[in-house]
Amino acid sequence: MVGVAATRTESTDGAMGSASTGRAIGLGILAALAGLMFGLDTGVVAGALPFIATDFHIPARTEEWIVSSMMAGAAFGSLVAGSISARFGRTGAMLGSALLFLAGTAACALAPSPAFLIGGRLVLGLAVGVAAFAAPLYISEITVESARGAMISFYQLMVSFGIFAAFVSDSLLASGGHWRWMLGVMAVPATLFLLGVLFLPHTPRWLMMQGRTERARSVLRMLRTDNDVAESELQEIQARLNQDSHKGFALFRSSGNFRRSVLLGMVLQVMQQLTGINVLMYYAPRVFQAAHFGTSAAVWATTLVGLTNMALTGVAIVFVDRWGRRPLLVLSCLIAAISMAGVGVLLLSGAQSFSTQLALVGFVLLFVAGFAIGEGPLVWTLCSEVQPTRGRDFGIGCSTVTNWAANWLVSNTFLTLMAALGSAHTFLLFALLNGLFIVVTVLFVPETRGVSLETIEARLFAGKRLRDLGQTNAR
Protein backbone atom coordinates (compact mmCIF):
# COMPACT_ATOMS: atom_id res chain seq x y z
CA MET A 1 0.00 0.00 0.00
CA VAL A 2 2.95 2.32 0.60
CA GLY A 3 4.00 1.85 -2.98
CA VAL A 4 0.55 2.83 -4.18
CA ALA A 5 0.76 5.98 -2.10
CA ALA A 6 4.02 6.94 -3.71
CA THR A 7 2.58 6.42 -7.16
CA ARG A 8 -0.45 8.49 -6.34
CA THR A 9 1.78 11.26 -5.05
CA GLU A 10 3.45 11.46 -8.42
CA SER A 11 0.17 11.44 -10.31
CA THR A 12 -1.27 14.33 -8.36
CA ASP A 13 1.07 16.66 -10.16
CA GLY A 14 -0.95 16.12 -13.32
CA ALA A 15 -4.43 16.99 -14.44
CA MET A 16 -6.10 14.15 -12.56
CA GLY A 17 -4.61 15.43 -9.30
CA SER A 18 -6.00 18.91 -9.88
CA ALA A 19 -9.46 17.56 -10.70
CA SER A 20 -9.48 15.26 -7.69
CA THR A 21 -8.69 17.96 -5.12
CA GLY A 22 -11.07 20.79 -6.06
CA ARG A 23 -13.80 19.85 -3.62
CA ALA A 24 -11.27 19.05 -0.92
CA ILE A 25 -9.75 22.51 -1.33
CA GLY A 26 -13.16 24.15 -1.00
CA LEU A 27 -13.91 22.25 2.20
CA GLY A 28 -10.40 22.95 3.48
CA ILE A 29 -10.98 26.67 3.03
CA LEU A 30 -14.17 26.44 5.11
CA ALA A 31 -12.28 24.58 7.84
CA ALA A 32 -9.53 27.21 7.71
CA LEU A 33 -12.04 29.78 8.99
CA ALA A 34 -11.05 28.36 12.38
CA GLY A 35 -7.69 30.03 11.77
CA LEU A 36 -9.46 33.33 11.15
CA MET A 37 -11.07 33.12 14.59
CA PHE A 38 -7.74 32.13 16.11
CA GLY A 39 -6.09 35.21 14.57
CA LEU A 40 -8.87 37.64 15.46
CA ASP A 41 -8.88 36.66 19.11
CA THR A 42 -5.08 36.72 19.19
CA GLY A 43 -4.72 40.18 17.64
CA VAL A 44 -7.67 42.07 19.09
CA VAL A 45 -6.27 42.27 22.62
CA ALA A 46 -3.21 44.30 21.54
CA GLY A 47 -5.27 47.37 20.65
CA ALA A 48 -7.91 46.91 23.34
CA LEU A 49 -5.53 46.37 26.25
CA PRO A 50 -4.44 50.00 26.85
CA PHE A 51 -8.08 51.13 27.06
CA ILE A 52 -9.04 48.19 29.27
CA ALA A 53 -6.20 49.09 31.62
CA THR A 54 -7.37 52.71 31.77
CA ASP A 55 -11.05 51.88 32.34
CA PHE A 56 -10.42 49.29 35.04
CA HIS A 57 -7.28 50.96 36.53
CA ILE A 58 -5.31 47.72 36.52
CA PRO A 59 -1.53 47.14 36.93
CA ALA A 60 0.75 45.50 34.34
CA ARG A 61 0.53 42.12 36.07
CA THR A 62 -3.26 42.05 35.58
CA GLU A 63 -2.75 43.01 31.94
CA GLU A 64 -0.52 39.95 31.57
CA TRP A 65 -3.30 37.76 32.99
CA ILE A 66 -5.92 39.25 30.65
CA VAL A 67 -3.69 38.49 27.69
CA SER A 68 -2.46 35.08 28.84
CA SER A 69 -5.79 33.73 30.13
CA MET A 70 -6.77 32.87 26.56
CA MET A 71 -3.62 30.76 26.24
CA ALA A 72 -4.40 28.97 29.50
CA GLY A 73 -7.88 28.17 28.20
CA ALA A 74 -6.41 27.04 24.89
CA ALA A 75 -3.99 24.70 26.65
CA PHE A 76 -6.90 23.04 28.47
CA GLY A 77 -8.94 23.00 25.27
CA SER A 78 -6.08 21.21 23.57
CA LEU A 79 -6.05 18.58 26.32
CA VAL A 80 -9.68 17.65 25.68
CA ALA A 81 -9.64 18.31 21.93
CA GLY A 82 -8.18 14.90 21.13
CA SER A 83 -10.94 12.98 22.89
CA ILE A 84 -13.62 15.30 21.46
CA SER A 85 -12.19 14.89 17.96
CA ALA A 86 -11.95 11.12 18.35
CA ARG A 87 -15.53 10.80 19.61
CA PHE A 88 -17.38 13.39 17.56
CA GLY A 89 -15.02 13.79 14.62
CA ARG A 90 -12.96 16.75 13.52
CA THR A 91 -16.18 18.39 12.27
CA GLY A 92 -17.93 17.92 15.61
CA ALA A 93 -14.96 19.44 17.42
CA MET A 94 -15.03 22.52 15.18
CA LEU A 95 -18.77 22.91 15.69
CA GLY A 96 -18.28 22.97 19.46
CA SER A 97 -15.48 25.50 19.15
CA ALA A 98 -17.69 27.78 17.02
CA LEU A 99 -20.32 27.86 19.79
CA LEU A 100 -17.61 28.63 22.36
CA PHE A 101 -16.30 31.48 20.20
CA LEU A 102 -19.74 33.11 20.30
CA ALA A 103 -20.11 32.63 24.06
CA GLY A 104 -16.63 33.93 24.85
CA THR A 105 -17.03 36.96 22.59
CA ALA A 106 -20.24 37.97 24.36
CA ALA A 107 -18.64 37.54 27.80
CA CYS A 108 -15.63 39.70 26.89
CA ALA A 109 -17.62 42.50 25.25
CA LEU A 110 -20.00 42.77 28.21
CA ALA A 111 -17.44 42.18 30.97
CA PRO A 112 -18.22 44.31 34.08
CA SER A 113 -14.82 43.61 35.71
CA PRO A 114 -11.31 42.39 34.93
CA ALA A 115 -12.12 39.01 36.51
CA PHE A 116 -15.15 38.56 34.24
CA LEU A 117 -13.04 39.57 31.24
CA ILE A 118 -10.42 36.99 32.17
CA GLY A 119 -13.18 34.40 32.37
CA GLY A 120 -14.42 35.34 28.90
CA ARG A 121 -10.90 35.08 27.56
CA LEU A 122 -10.64 31.60 29.10
CA VAL A 123 -13.75 30.53 27.16
CA LEU A 124 -12.26 31.94 23.96
CA GLY A 125 -9.11 30.02 24.76
CA LEU A 126 -11.09 26.78 25.01
CA ALA A 127 -12.53 27.51 21.57
CA VAL A 128 -9.13 28.31 20.08
CA GLY A 129 -7.52 25.22 21.63
CA VAL A 130 -10.11 22.86 20.16
CA ALA A 131 -10.19 24.62 16.78
CA ALA A 132 -6.38 24.79 16.47
CA PHE A 133 -6.30 21.03 17.01
CA ALA A 134 -9.20 20.03 14.77
CA ALA A 135 -8.88 22.34 11.75
CA PRO A 136 -5.31 21.51 10.59
CA LEU A 137 -6.03 17.84 11.28
CA TYR A 138 -9.21 18.01 9.19
CA ILE A 139 -7.40 19.72 6.33
CA SER A 140 -4.53 17.22 6.34
CA GLU A 141 -6.95 14.28 6.21
CA ILE A 142 -9.03 15.47 3.23
CA THR A 143 -6.24 16.83 1.01
CA VAL A 144 -3.91 14.88 -1.31
CA GLU A 145 -0.16 15.05 -0.78
CA SER A 146 0.59 17.52 -3.58
CA ALA A 147 -1.66 20.18 -2.03
CA ARG A 148 -1.43 19.28 1.66
CA GLY A 149 1.34 21.68 2.64
CA ALA A 150 -0.27 24.61 0.87
CA MET A 151 -3.69 23.91 2.35
CA ILE A 152 -2.45 23.64 5.93
CA SER A 153 -0.42 26.79 5.32
CA PHE A 154 -3.65 28.44 4.16
CA TYR A 155 -4.93 27.82 7.68
CA GLN A 156 -1.98 29.86 8.95
CA LEU A 157 -2.75 32.52 6.34
CA MET A 158 -6.23 32.82 7.84
CA VAL A 159 -4.64 33.18 11.28
CA SER A 160 -2.45 35.96 9.89
CA PHE A 161 -5.39 37.63 8.16
CA GLY A 162 -7.36 37.47 11.41
CA ILE A 163 -4.54 39.17 13.31
CA PHE A 164 -4.27 41.88 10.66
CA ALA A 165 -8.04 42.41 10.56
CA ALA A 166 -8.09 42.71 14.35
CA PHE A 167 -5.27 45.30 14.26
CA VAL A 168 -7.12 47.32 11.61
CA SER A 169 -10.38 47.14 13.58
CA ASP A 170 -8.57 48.24 16.73
CA SER A 171 -6.98 51.17 14.88
CA LEU A 172 -10.33 52.37 13.55
CA LEU A 173 -11.95 52.15 16.99
CA ALA A 174 -8.97 53.48 18.94
CA SER A 175 -9.85 57.16 18.63
CA GLY A 176 -12.89 56.67 20.86
CA GLY A 177 -11.35 54.04 23.10
CA HIS A 178 -14.18 51.61 22.22
CA TRP A 179 -12.58 48.45 23.56
CA ARG A 180 -15.95 46.71 24.06
CA TRP A 181 -16.71 47.13 20.35
CA MET A 182 -13.20 45.91 19.54
CA LEU A 183 -13.99 42.67 21.35
CA GLY A 184 -17.66 42.48 20.37
CA VAL A 185 -17.30 42.63 16.59
CA MET A 186 -15.71 39.17 16.77
CA ALA A 187 -19.27 37.80 16.92
CA VAL A 188 -19.69 38.37 13.16
CA PRO A 189 -16.86 36.07 11.97
CA ALA A 190 -17.73 33.58 14.73
CA THR A 191 -21.22 33.26 13.25
CA LEU A 192 -19.77 32.80 9.75
CA PHE A 193 -17.46 30.06 11.06
CA LEU A 194 -20.40 28.29 12.70
CA LEU A 195 -22.37 28.34 9.44
CA GLY A 196 -19.34 27.12 7.45
CA VAL A 197 -18.76 24.13 9.73
CA LEU A 198 -22.30 22.89 9.02
CA PHE A 199 -21.22 22.13 5.43
CA LEU A 200 -18.20 19.99 6.38
CA PRO A 201 -18.43 16.17 6.09
CA HIS A 202 -16.46 13.93 8.43
CA THR A 203 -12.99 12.97 7.18
CA PRO A 204 -12.46 9.55 5.56
CA ARG A 205 -9.78 8.61 8.11
CA TRP A 206 -12.04 9.33 11.08
CA LEU A 207 -14.92 7.44 9.45
CA MET A 208 -12.65 4.44 8.91
CA MET A 209 -11.57 4.57 12.54
CA GLN A 210 -15.27 4.37 13.44
CA GLY A 211 -15.78 1.36 11.16
CA ARG A 212 -17.95 3.35 8.72
CA THR A 213 -16.21 2.11 5.59
CA GLU A 214 -18.99 2.79 3.08
CA ARG A 215 -19.44 6.35 4.30
CA ALA A 216 -15.66 6.87 4.12
CA ARG A 217 -15.68 5.56 0.55
CA SER A 218 -18.51 7.93 -0.36
CA VAL A 219 -16.68 10.94 1.08
CA LEU A 220 -13.43 10.01 -0.63
CA ARG A 221 -15.15 9.70 -3.99
CA MET A 222 -16.70 13.12 -3.43
CA LEU A 223 -13.30 14.60 -2.56
CA ARG A 224 -11.28 12.91 -5.30
CA THR A 225 -13.87 12.37 -8.11
CA ASP A 226 -11.62 9.64 -9.56
CA ASN A 227 -12.89 6.37 -8.08
CA ASP A 228 -9.63 4.47 -8.56
CA VAL A 229 -7.68 7.10 -6.64
CA ALA A 230 -10.32 7.10 -3.89
CA GLU A 231 -10.31 3.30 -3.59
CA SER A 232 -6.52 3.16 -3.46
CA GLU A 233 -6.43 5.74 -0.67
CA LEU A 234 -9.17 3.88 1.21
CA GLN A 235 -7.12 0.68 1.12
CA GLU A 236 -4.03 2.51 2.38
CA ILE A 237 -5.92 3.92 5.34
CA GLN A 238 -7.39 0.51 6.18
CA ALA A 239 -3.99 -1.17 5.94
CA ARG A 240 -2.45 1.25 8.39
CA LEU A 241 -5.35 0.90 10.83
CA ASN A 242 -5.14 -2.91 10.69
CA GLN A 243 -1.46 -3.08 11.54
CA ASP A 244 -1.83 -2.40 15.24
CA SER A 245 -4.77 -2.38 17.62
CA HIS A 246 -3.00 0.09 19.93
CA LYS A 247 -4.17 3.68 19.67
CA GLY A 248 -3.56 6.97 21.41
CA PHE A 249 -1.87 6.72 24.80
CA ALA A 250 -1.69 2.93 24.56
CA LEU A 251 0.34 3.31 21.37
CA PHE A 252 2.47 5.99 23.06
CA ARG A 253 3.30 3.57 25.89
CA SER A 254 4.02 0.60 23.63
CA SER A 255 5.89 2.25 20.75
CA GLY A 256 9.15 4.10 21.09
CA ASN A 257 8.87 5.16 17.46
CA PHE A 258 5.55 6.87 18.13
CA ARG A 259 7.07 8.61 21.15
CA ARG A 260 9.70 10.05 18.81
CA SER A 261 7.11 11.63 16.53
CA VAL A 262 5.20 13.02 19.52
CA LEU A 263 8.39 14.52 20.94
CA LEU A 264 9.27 16.08 17.57
CA GLY A 265 5.85 17.73 17.40
CA MET A 266 6.25 19.13 20.91
CA VAL A 267 9.74 20.47 20.20
CA LEU A 268 8.51 22.17 17.02
CA GLN A 269 5.73 23.91 18.93
CA VAL A 270 8.12 25.14 21.63
CA MET A 271 10.35 26.44 18.84
CA GLN A 272 7.47 28.40 17.33
CA GLN A 273 6.49 30.08 20.59
CA LEU A 274 10.04 30.94 21.68
CA THR A 275 10.74 32.76 18.41
CA GLY A 276 9.20 35.85 20.01
CA ILE A 277 6.33 36.21 17.55
CA ASN A 278 3.60 36.47 20.16
CA VAL A 279 5.52 39.17 21.98
CA LEU A 280 4.73 41.31 18.94
CA MET A 281 1.20 39.98 18.45
CA TYR A 282 0.15 40.73 22.03
CA TYR A 283 2.43 43.59 23.08
CA ALA A 284 3.55 45.29 19.86
CA PRO A 285 2.42 48.78 20.98
CA ARG A 286 4.49 48.36 24.17
CA VAL A 287 7.54 47.33 22.14
CA PHE A 288 7.28 50.38 19.88
CA GLN A 289 6.65 52.67 22.85
CA ALA A 290 9.87 51.34 24.38
CA ALA A 291 11.55 52.77 21.27
CA HIS A 292 9.96 56.17 22.00
CA PHE A 293 7.09 55.92 19.49
CA GLY A 294 4.00 57.97 20.27
CA THR A 295 0.77 56.12 21.05
CA SER A 296 -0.78 56.68 17.63
CA ALA A 297 2.43 55.77 15.79
CA ALA A 298 2.74 52.60 17.87
CA VAL A 299 -0.80 51.49 16.96
CA TRP A 300 -0.27 52.02 13.24
CA ALA A 301 3.16 50.36 13.34
CA THR A 302 1.43 47.38 14.97
CA THR A 303 -1.06 47.28 12.08
CA LEU A 304 1.88 47.19 9.66
CA VAL A 305 3.19 44.17 11.57
CA GLY A 306 -0.12 42.40 10.96
CA LEU A 307 -0.10 43.27 7.26
CA THR A 308 3.43 41.93 6.82
CA ASN A 309 2.56 38.72 8.66
CA MET A 310 -0.44 38.13 6.40
CA ALA A 311 1.32 38.97 3.13
CA LEU A 312 4.36 36.78 3.74
CA THR A 313 2.28 33.83 4.89
CA GLY A 314 0.98 33.88 1.32
CA VAL A 315 4.57 33.34 0.16
CA ALA A 316 4.75 30.19 2.28
CA ILE A 317 1.59 28.86 0.64
CA VAL A 318 3.09 29.35 -2.82
CA PHE A 319 6.47 27.75 -2.08
CA VAL A 320 5.88 25.14 0.65
CA ASP A 321 5.05 22.41 -1.89
CA ARG A 322 7.72 23.63 -4.34
CA TRP A 323 10.77 24.28 -2.19
CA GLY A 324 9.87 21.98 0.68
CA ARG A 325 9.55 22.31 4.44
CA ARG A 326 13.19 22.13 5.53
CA PRO A 327 14.67 24.88 3.28
CA LEU A 328 11.88 27.31 4.16
CA LEU A 329 12.16 26.55 7.88
CA VAL A 330 15.94 27.05 7.95
CA LEU A 331 15.62 30.32 6.00
CA SER A 332 12.84 31.43 8.33
CA CYS A 333 14.88 30.80 11.48
CA LEU A 334 17.91 32.57 10.01
CA ILE A 335 15.92 35.70 9.11
CA ALA A 336 14.26 35.70 12.53
CA ALA A 337 17.59 35.41 14.36
CA ILE A 338 19.21 38.25 12.40
CA SER A 339 16.23 40.58 12.76
CA MET A 340 15.73 39.94 16.48
CA ALA A 341 19.42 40.68 17.01
CA GLY A 342 18.95 43.91 15.06
CA VAL A 343 16.03 44.96 17.26
CA GLY A 344 18.05 44.20 20.38
CA VAL A 345 21.07 46.21 19.23
CA LEU A 346 18.93 49.21 18.25
CA LEU A 347 17.11 49.19 21.58
CA LEU A 348 20.48 48.94 23.31
CA SER A 349 21.57 52.11 21.49
CA GLY A 350 18.50 54.02 22.69
CA ALA A 351 16.56 54.14 19.36
CA GLN A 352 15.65 57.82 19.83
CA SER A 353 16.47 59.29 16.42
CA PHE A 354 13.95 59.08 13.62
CA SER A 355 16.29 57.05 11.38
CA THR A 356 16.95 54.58 14.19
CA GLN A 357 13.23 54.18 14.81
CA LEU A 358 12.67 53.49 11.11
CA ALA A 359 15.44 50.88 11.22
CA LEU A 360 13.80 49.26 14.25
CA VAL A 361 10.46 49.05 12.42
CA GLY A 362 12.32 47.53 9.48
CA PHE A 363 13.90 44.82 11.64
CA VAL A 364 10.57 44.05 13.30
CA LEU A 365 8.88 43.68 9.91
CA LEU A 366 11.79 41.54 8.66
CA PHE A 367 11.34 39.27 11.67
CA VAL A 368 7.60 38.95 11.03
CA ALA A 369 8.31 38.17 7.37
CA GLY A 370 10.81 35.50 8.34
CA PHE A 371 8.38 33.92 10.80
CA ALA A 372 5.52 33.99 8.30
CA ILE A 373 7.36 32.06 5.57
CA GLY A 374 8.36 29.17 7.80
CA GLU A 375 8.17 29.08 11.57
CA GLY A 376 4.49 30.04 11.55
CA PRO A 377 2.75 27.80 8.98
CA LEU A 378 5.27 24.96 8.65
CA VAL A 379 5.20 23.96 12.31
CA TRP A 380 1.46 23.23 12.04
CA THR A 381 2.02 21.45 8.72
CA LEU A 382 4.77 19.20 10.05
CA CYS A 383 2.96 18.41 13.29
CA SER A 384 -0.04 17.13 11.34
CA GLU A 385 2.12 15.13 8.91
CA VAL A 386 4.50 13.22 11.19
CA GLN A 387 1.86 11.61 13.44
CA PRO A 388 0.60 8.12 12.45
CA THR A 389 -3.10 7.60 11.72
CA ARG A 390 -3.97 5.57 14.81
CA GLY A 391 -2.06 7.96 17.08
CA ARG A 392 -2.77 11.24 15.31
CA ASP A 393 -5.35 12.54 17.80
CA PHE A 394 -3.01 11.90 20.72
CA GLY A 395 0.14 13.13 18.97
CA ILE A 396 -1.32 16.38 17.69
CA GLY A 397 -3.04 16.85 21.03
CA CYS A 398 0.33 16.71 22.81
CA SER A 399 1.97 19.15 20.41
CA THR A 400 -0.97 21.56 20.53
CA VAL A 401 -1.05 21.56 24.34
CA THR A 402 2.69 22.26 24.26
CA ASN A 403 2.11 25.16 21.88
CA TRP A 404 -0.39 26.82 24.19
CA ALA A 405 1.58 26.12 27.35
CA ALA A 406 4.64 27.79 25.82
CA ASN A 407 2.43 30.58 24.46
CA TRP A 408 1.00 31.16 27.95
CA LEU A 409 4.48 31.24 29.47
CA VAL A 410 5.71 33.87 27.01
CA SER A 411 2.60 36.07 27.18
CA ASN A 412 2.34 35.81 30.98
CA THR A 413 5.93 36.83 31.63
CA PHE A 414 6.99 39.18 28.81
CA LEU A 415 6.34 42.49 30.58
CA THR A 416 8.02 41.12 33.70
CA LEU A 417 10.96 39.83 31.62
CA MET A 418 11.40 43.21 29.92
CA ALA A 419 11.41 44.90 33.33
CA ALA A 420 14.04 42.46 34.64
CA LEU A 421 16.38 42.15 31.62
CA GLY A 422 15.58 45.33 29.77
CA SER A 423 13.93 45.41 26.35
CA ALA A 424 17.22 45.14 24.44
CA HIS A 425 18.50 42.03 26.20
CA THR A 426 15.08 40.40 25.95
CA PHE A 427 15.18 40.61 22.16
CA LEU A 428 18.80 39.45 22.03
CA LEU A 429 17.65 36.36 23.96
CA PHE A 430 15.02 35.69 21.29
CA ALA A 431 17.72 36.07 18.61
CA LEU A 432 19.81 33.38 20.32
CA LEU A 433 16.83 31.02 20.50
CA ASN A 434 16.06 31.44 16.80
CA GLY A 435 19.67 30.56 16.01
CA LEU A 436 19.32 27.40 18.10
CA PHE A 437 16.23 26.42 16.11
CA ILE A 438 18.28 26.29 12.90
CA VAL A 439 20.33 23.48 14.46
CA VAL A 440 17.19 21.63 15.56
CA THR A 441 15.74 21.86 12.04
CA VAL A 442 18.88 20.56 10.34
CA LEU A 443 19.26 17.62 12.73
CA PHE A 444 15.70 16.42 13.23
CA VAL A 445 13.08 17.85 10.84
CA PRO A 446 12.11 15.64 7.85
CA GLU A 447 11.30 16.85 4.35
CA THR A 448 7.69 15.70 3.91
CA ARG A 449 6.90 17.49 0.64
CA GLY A 450 5.05 15.17 -1.76
CA VAL A 451 5.20 12.16 0.58
CA SER A 452 1.97 10.42 1.59
CA LEU A 453 0.95 10.26 5.25
CA GLU A 454 1.01 6.45 5.00
CA THR A 455 4.62 6.46 3.73
CA ILE A 456 5.72 8.77 6.54
CA GLU A 457 4.03 6.46 9.04
CA ALA A 458 5.65 3.34 7.59
CA ARG A 459 9.13 4.88 7.83
CA LEU A 460 8.45 6.05 11.38
CA PHE A 461 7.57 2.55 12.58
CA ALA A 462 10.47 1.09 10.60
CA GLY A 463 12.77 3.06 12.92
CA LYS A 464 14.06 5.55 10.36
CA ARG A 465 15.70 8.71 11.70
CA LEU A 466 13.27 11.57 12.18
CA ARG A 467 14.91 13.61 9.44
CA ASP A 468 14.51 10.64 7.07
CA LEU A 469 10.77 10.12 7.49
CA GLY A 470 10.04 12.02 4.29
CA GLN A 471 12.28 12.45 1.26
CA THR A 472 15.36 10.49 2.25
CA ASN A 473 17.56 12.43 -0.21
CA ALA A 474 16.49 15.84 1.23
CA ARG A 475 19.22 17.90 2.80
Side-chain angles (χ1 to χ4, degrees), residues 84 90-101 127 130 193-194 197:
I84 293 173
R90 291 75 166 107
T91 303
M94 285 188 282
L95 180 61
S97 69
L99 295 172
L100 287 173
F101 275 126
V130 174
F193 175 49
L194 175 62
V197 171

Side-chain angles (χ1 to χ4, degrees), residues 49-368:
L49 193 60
F51 303 108
I52 293 170
T54 300
D55 277 8
F56 288 132
H57 307 289
I58 55 177
R61 187 65 184 134
T62 304
E63 291 183 60
E64 287 179 328
W65 276 106
I66 289 173
V67 171
S68 64
S69 56
M70 191 182 87
M71 289 84 238
F76 182 76
S78 301
L79 283 173
V80 300
S83 59
I84 293 173
S85 177
R87 182 172 181 179
F88 300 105
R90 291 75 166 107
T91 303
M94 285 188 282
L95 180 61
S97 69
L99 295 172
L100 287 173
F101 275 126
L102 285 170
T105 296
C108 289
L110 301 173
S113 67
F116 201 93
L117 180 56
I118 289 172
R121 296 273 296 168
L122 281 168
V123 173
L124 287 175
L126 288 172
V128 169
V130 174
F133 172 92
L137 181 57
Y138 183 91
I139 294 168
S140 73
E141 291 186 350
I142 67 169
T143 310
V144 295
E145 300 88 76
S146 62
R148 191 174 61 232
M151 283 305 303
I152 299 175
S153 294
F154 183 79
Y155 168 84
Q156 183 65 28
L157 177 63
M158 294 304 289
V159 175
S160 303
F161 176 70
I163 292 171
F164 171 66
F167 286 167
V168 171
S169 176
D170 286 353
S171 298
L172 294 175
L173 294 168
S175 60
H178 302 300
W179 65 267
R180 293 185 186 276
W181 280 103
M182 292 178 185
L183 303 180
V185 294
M186 300 300 107
V188 175
T191 302
L192 294 176
F193 175 49
L194 175 62
L195 295 175
V197 171
L198 298 177
F199 290 94
L200 300 179
H202 288 295
T203 69
R205 281 180 174 81
W206 181 80
L207 290 168
M208 290 291 288
M209 292 169 68
Q210 303 302 307
R212 298 166 61 181
T213 304
E214 287 307 313
R215 178 56 182 160
R217 178 178 284 110
S218 175
V219 172
L220 266 174
R221 288 181 175 180
M222 181 268 291
L223 295 175
R224 303 293 182 255
T225 69
D226 185 280
N227 290 345
D228 291 337
V229 171
E231 195 63 34
S232 175
E233 187 170 341
L234 191 74
Q235 292 174 14
E236 291 169 7
I237 296 170
Q238 186 64 67
R240 296 256 59 97
L241 292 175
N242 288 341
Q243 282 191 358
D244 197 327
S245 61
H246 291 215
K247 298 179 181 179
F249 184 64
L251 180 64
F252 182 80
R253 287 188 302 172
S254 64
S255 173
N257 286 319
F258 180 44
R259 289 194 291 273
R260 291 189 303 139
S261 68
V262 172
L263 180 60
L264 176 60
M266 295 171 68
V267 169
L268 287 171
Q269 294 289 7
V270 171
M271 279 176 51
Q272 186 191 71
Q273 293 308 309
L274 294 185
T275 59
I277 185 62
N278 283 323
V279 166
L280 296 176
M281 295 301 105
Y282 304 138
Y283 298 111
R286 289 291 187 93
V287 173
F288 289 119
Q289 286 171 359
H292 308 288
F293 280 70
T295 303
S296 178
V299 170
W300 282 107
T302 299
T303 304
L304 192 57
V305 166
L307 177 61
T308 302
N309 186 36
M310 180 184 67
L312 271 295
T313 300
V315 174
I317 292 177
V318 172
F319 291 106
V320 65
D321 286 314
R322 298 182 185 179
W323 291 359
R325 282 61 158 158
R326 279 167 56 89
L328 276 176
L329 196 53
V330 169
L331 177 63
S332 174
C333 293
L334 180 61
I335 293 172
I338 293 172
S339 53
M340 277 294 191
V343 172
V345 169
L346 289 175
L347 289 175
L348 201 61
S349 70
Q352 296 192 34
S353 69
F354 181 69
S355 60
T356 305
Q357 289 177 332
L358 285 180
L360 184 138
V361 172
F363 275 121
V364 168
L365 296 181
L366 180 63
F367 164 75
V368 173

